[in-house]
Amino acid sequence: MSETDDTELEARLAEQDEFEPPESFVEGANVTDPGVYDEFEESWPDCWEQAADLLDWDEEYDQVLEDSNPPFYEWFTGGSLNASHQCIDRHLPERADEAAIEWVGEPTDEPDRTITYGELYEEVNEFAAALRDLGVGEDDVVTMYMPMVPELALALLACSRIGAPHSVVFAGFSASALAERMNDADSEYLLTANGYYRRGDPLDHLAKTNEGLAEVEHDVETVVVDRLGEDGFGHDLTDDQHDYDDLLADHRGAEVEPVERDAEDMLFLMYTSGTTGKPKGVKHTTGGYLSWVTWTSQAVLDIKPEDTYFCTADIGWITGHSYIVYGPLSLGTTTVMYEGTPDYPDNDRLWEIVEDLEANQFYTAPTAIRSFMKWGEEYPNRHDLSSLRLLGTVGEPINPKAWKWYYKHVGDEDCPIVDTWWQTETGGMMVTTLPGVKNMKPGSAGPPLPGVDVRVVDAEGGEVPAGGAGYLTVHKPWPGMLRTLYRNDERFIDEYWAVYSDTDSDDPEDWVYFPEDGAKVDDDGYITVVGRVDDVVNVSGHRLGTMEIESAVVAAEGVAEAAVVGADHDVKGEAVHAYVILEDGHEAGEEMRARIEESVEDAIGPIARPERVVFTPELPKTRSGKIMRRLLEEISDGEELGDTSTLRNPDVVEDIRQDVQGD
Ligand code: WT7
């Protein structure tokens, strides 16, 4: 292409705010009928039989939706199934020799690992048998604190095979965060690894695991995967720690009948952050969740069994559960798992993987796309990415500029982009374009999926007109929804349901689900999600609670009081800024800052480390003593300050502003 063409193209792209799906894509897409929206609306909730039909039920369900006890909705009641059967056994006749998982380790001098469906069957069965022998029974919660190695995916399936719910804790979380989650769930089994590689260096993950175990209040049987081999740190395993390979060797050839689970039986638990300092255990069930992720993987990610599908998320977060493991494997496709970071050994690592494996879909987060942009188009340009058919994003809003960069330099203007809004709690996608049906609008996730009743409402619960902004709400239940917060129904109601109602009534029938996001809606019903309206920050697509970070900051010796806010950040989306008041006798400075950082790393993990610590003699407070975090956020973002008239101490804001903004 000549340089003038290129400039014209840039100009056209920059102006264009609506894109049609490429014809070549539409021709072969899984869903192409625009009538699906009306059809689902008219037949709701029976429309969701289409999702359930993608699964192989042991016992057919007798009811699609059981809604007699809102907000405790149930889906596909009376039905039974097993998730590992859906993801493995049922594909064996056709796909035993096809790749289920393509695993790529971070070091480049080590062979990749291809696991066929046949091999997946064998190893999952062996591990399921081993878990049973360790004492894991149906409904026992098994915690996983694992890097991105194949054993993590296998373990999810082994647990689901024996009806043991898993609770995966992101490996980047701290020892204390692990212990807190294991204690909350009374989880007596743990799968971990001796380490993993990060930018070329081995990390000692078992040392961190052991620190965490020391804080767990009950006995734990631990299984340790030897990821590092000779690079390991020479830890001896204790009596209640078992080597993964030894366990498999002891159960070579074992087969375990998949346990028949009720549709509403728990498949897994996933802890996530919310308004209070305590993480919430989101409970997902077998039938509804699996139907949801299977249907959305097919309709939105356009996955077909013969595809190679690459999602860059970590299985430690919900995206990895739904769209690396359960959705793709349920459809019998090949799913890619990559252990490392996108910039090791160079900034083209992900494109190298796409080219080598001829990936057809690529699903990532806007924060990654902003890094790709910063690194420059020469990195994707170095590789043949023509195998790609569809691109996706998730986790935070994507600005139109990043969207267009992705569209052009990764998708070569020939792949639709699905900007998918959803949450840990929703189980799977809720708002996004159907890629073979709808036009795309950069920056806007799109309309709600068929059968999904998402609306933008004002503070009183009234629907905002087109062009308006307000709060995102979901007005009808959906199969993938969380069922409750683990052993805390009350918090489930308080946090998500009793917030908005059509009539302001306290009748649960009128309640709607509140995801705690702000959003705008346009004339075509396209929704642009702006961000959280609660005390949650989104750092590089990682969801962190400001209250959790604040309590970690305050735990540092010498800190009297702290307020944590999410400040705008070019690459990370948001960065953690901590405003800190010290106790008398303690000095602001480097040493204090290091102490605060360490305290946060210990309590949560390096991902929550404050990017900036501002020492201040006072925090802006309302007359009733509430910290005005909004003002601190404005200061961090270099914005004009909003209304300070309700403050008890208005002068302090100007002092802090001058200190931070430097004028
Ligand atoms: C929060 C959920 C969904 C899996 C990964 C994150 C934000 C998510 C989008 C999007 C704008 C988005 C929301 C949401 N979010 N997707 N496409 N556009 N914002 O799951 O950790 O539960 O976080 O991520 O604020 O509430 P999570």
Side-chain angles (χ1 to χ4, degrees), residues 234-247:
H235 296 283
D236 291 323
L237 299 187
T238 57
D239 287 348
D240 48 12
Q241 297 186 321
H242 314 270
D243 176 72
Y244 178 86
D245 291 324
D246 289 350
L247 286 183

Side-chain angles (χ1 to χ4, degrees), residues 31 60 84 114 297 401 468 511 522 535 653:
V31 181
E60 272 302 315
S84 102
T114 300
S297 292
K401 205 169 157 203
W511 289 348
D522 76 5
D535 297 316
V653 180

Side-chain angles (χ1 to χ4, degrees), residues 272 317-319 393-398 419-425 445 515 517 529 531-532 538 541 543:
T272 187
W317 306 94
I318 191 74
T319 308
T393 81
V394 59
E396 38 167 342
I398 179 165
D419 172 355
T420 59
W421 176 85
W422 58 290
Q423 317 179 289
T424 304
E425 292 87 340
D517 271 318
V529 180
R532 305 284 304 194
N538 192 331
R543 174 164 159 188

